Amino acid sequence: MFLEGTILRGPRFDPVEGRVVVEDGEIAAIEEATVDSDDVVLPAFVNAHTHVGDSIAKEAGEGLSLEELVAPPDGLKHRLLRSTPREEKIAAMRRSAQFMQSTGTASFLEFREGGVEGVYALREAVDGLDVDPVILGRETVDAMEAAEGFGASGANDGDFSRERSATERAGKLFGIHAGEADASDVNPALDLSPDFLVHVVHPEPLHLDRIEDSEVPVVVCPRSNLVTDVGLPPVRDLLDRTTVALGTDNVMLNSPSMFREMEFTAKLTDASAREVLRMATLNGARVAGLDCGVVEEGRDAKLLVLDGDSDNLAGYRNVVRAVVRRAGADDVKDVVL
């Protein structure tokens, strides 16, 4: 198969007119040519941090603090997860996964509550879909062994050294929340030598130096941070020091839309449009260990096609800026996963 239009090629998303040739799920060629298409072809998104179990409780918890909303074991989300029947949780997670797939997300990196059973429930929820979760189990080493790694809540919530050692022996991912409410858990999180940190809203200069020295990636979730009133992450400082990816966090708080996350990040930080698009694609793929997130020959063909002549996008002068700051679900013409 081939896709024609303006192709956002390579890690800089250089716009070239032509076609992408796809063979056996791989980008076989990118051919520059004059084509009769207004489509925009770009890499599909990688949502680098989600909690899709929260799909059972969208917009619950108005007025609650971050701790009251999500802190284990008795935050609102955890109480609701315990009280909701398994079938209802699976159905809700499937609806969120379907939404992500339809809006151009190839994969999402999920911190999955519920131990081993939580991992199995998400696998059941996405069965038959093309969106591919990278699941990090929580709560037990057994959950990590059933998943692609372990997702820790935060260093102030417990000692995760056993789980970190187990993931390292298994060659799996270890991610941990850090610096969300304050700076107190950033150093202990870095002491675990994680594969990535999530949030990092409140890093101190020493933390930024350690992040840079250890080359640990950071996943930021600006919409979530604003909803929970903890502030915005210092995206520019982080981009200047390490790989930064973008996630939508709890479905309880925000839709799992990478379009909305990109627009929000671009308009409320000083990251450039290219940097934000890279955060939503290639950098997320790097954090998750995936071979997608960029339109290059030999890469997995995880691609998103936008209608460049939609009422919303027609007349754009800067295609990358239009994709990041303006595009949305209604502009999606095709998703190739």
Side-chain angles (χ1 to χ4, degrees):
M1 68 176 295
F2 60 87
L3 306 171
E4 292 187 338
T6 298
I7 303 160
L8 302 189
R9 181 177 189 170
R12 282 189 46 79
F13 311 106
D14 296 318
V16 298
E17 186 179 5
R19 63 181 60 88
V20 179
V21 181
V22 176
E23 296 178 356
D24 299 323
E26 184 177 287
I27 298 174
I30 302 168
E31 301 172 348
E32 295 191 36
T34 301
V35 297
D36 185 22
S37 174
D38 294 309
D39 292 347
V40 180
V41 183
L42 62 146
F45 304 124
V46 176
N47 188 339
H49 185 61
T50 61
H51 295 272
V52 297
D54 296 10
S55 302
I56 60 168
K58 297 169 185 173
E59 303 308 319
E62 181 180 4
L64 298 182
S65 68
L66 174 64
E67 183 173 359
E68 292 169 329
L69 281 168
V70 301
D74 294 318
L76 176 63
K77 66 168 278 178
H78 297 283
R79 300 198 308 272
L80 292 173
L81 285 169
R82 288 194 294 268
S83 65
T84 302
R86 182 177 189 274
E87 295 75 15
E88 186 177 334
K89 286 186 281 193
I90 289 173
M93 289 191 292
R94 186 173 183 84
R95 296 291 293 269
S96 288
Q98 289 174 161
F99 174 81
M100 283 192 274
Q101 178 175 307
S102 69
T103 53
T105 292
S107 186
F108 57 98
L109 216 166
E110 165 71 8
F111 276 40
R112 181 81 281 272
E113 289 86 3
V116 173
E117 171 53 33
V119 174
Y120 292 159
L122 178 53
R123 291 219 172 104
E124 186 174 336
V126 300
D127 184 46
L129 301 180
D130 292 325
V131 64
D132 186 21
V134 175
I135 306 173
L136 302 190
R138 305 187 72 184
E139 301 161 14
T140 67
V141 171
D142 288 344
M144 177 277 294
E145 292 173 345
E148 285 74 60
F150 189 87
S153 56
N156 288 343
D157 295 330
D159 178 5
F160 293 101
S161 56
R162 177 171 175 265
E163 290 82 359
R164 178 64 185 111
S165 296
T167 58
E168 192 166 21
R169 288 195 301 270
K172 296 186 176 184
L173 287 171
F174 180 87
I176 185 168
H177 298 80
E180 186 174 7
D182 56 49
S184 63
D185 60 355
V186 180
N187 272 331
L190 287 168
D191 289 343
L192 292 167
S193 299
D195 293 301
F196 65 96
L197 302 175
V198 181
H199 292 303
V200 194
V201 179
H202 301 285
E204 297 173 354
L206 171 63
H207 303 143
L208 293 170
D209 289 342
R210 290 192 67 187
I211 287 168
E212 182 174 16
D213 291 343
S214 60
E215 299 181 341
V216 60
V218 174
V219 179
V220 296
C221 309
R223 284 189 303 155
S224 171
N225 299 150
L226 193 66
V227 170
T228 57
D229 198 29
V230 297
L232 287 173
V235 172
R236 179 75 271 147
D237 288 340
L238 293 168
L239 283 167
D240 289 343
R241 293 170 179 265
T242 192
T243 298
V244 183
L246 202 59
T248 61
D249 205 10
N250 304 69
V251 179
M252 181 184 190
L253 307 175
N254 293 293
S255 72
S257 167
M258 293 299 281
F259 287 116
R260 289 190 176 186
E261 202 71 40
M262 287 195 304
E263 179 182 9
F264 189 93
T265 303
K267 291 181 177 179
L268 285 186
T269 75
D270 55 0
S272 71
R274 276 186 167 81
E275 287 173 321
V276 173
L277 186 54
R278 194 174 301 118
M279 290 162 65
T281 55
L282 180 57
N283 288 0
R286 286 171 172 167
V287 170
L290 303 173
D291 191 28
C292 61
V294 63
V295 184
E296 286 180 337
E297 293 178 3
R299 296 279 192 158
D300 290 346
K302 309 289 188 181
L303 302 168
L304 171 61
V305 182
L306 301 179
D307 179 3
D309 193 40
S310 69
D311 290 341
N312 181 40
L313 295 180
Y316 65 77
R317 298 298 181 92
N318 181 321
V319 62
V320 175
R321 188 175 169 90
V323 167
V324 169
R325 300 169 66 97
R326 178 176 298 271
D330 290 343
D331 303 307
V332 174
K333 188 170 183 178
D334 195 10
V335 181
V336 178
L337 302 178

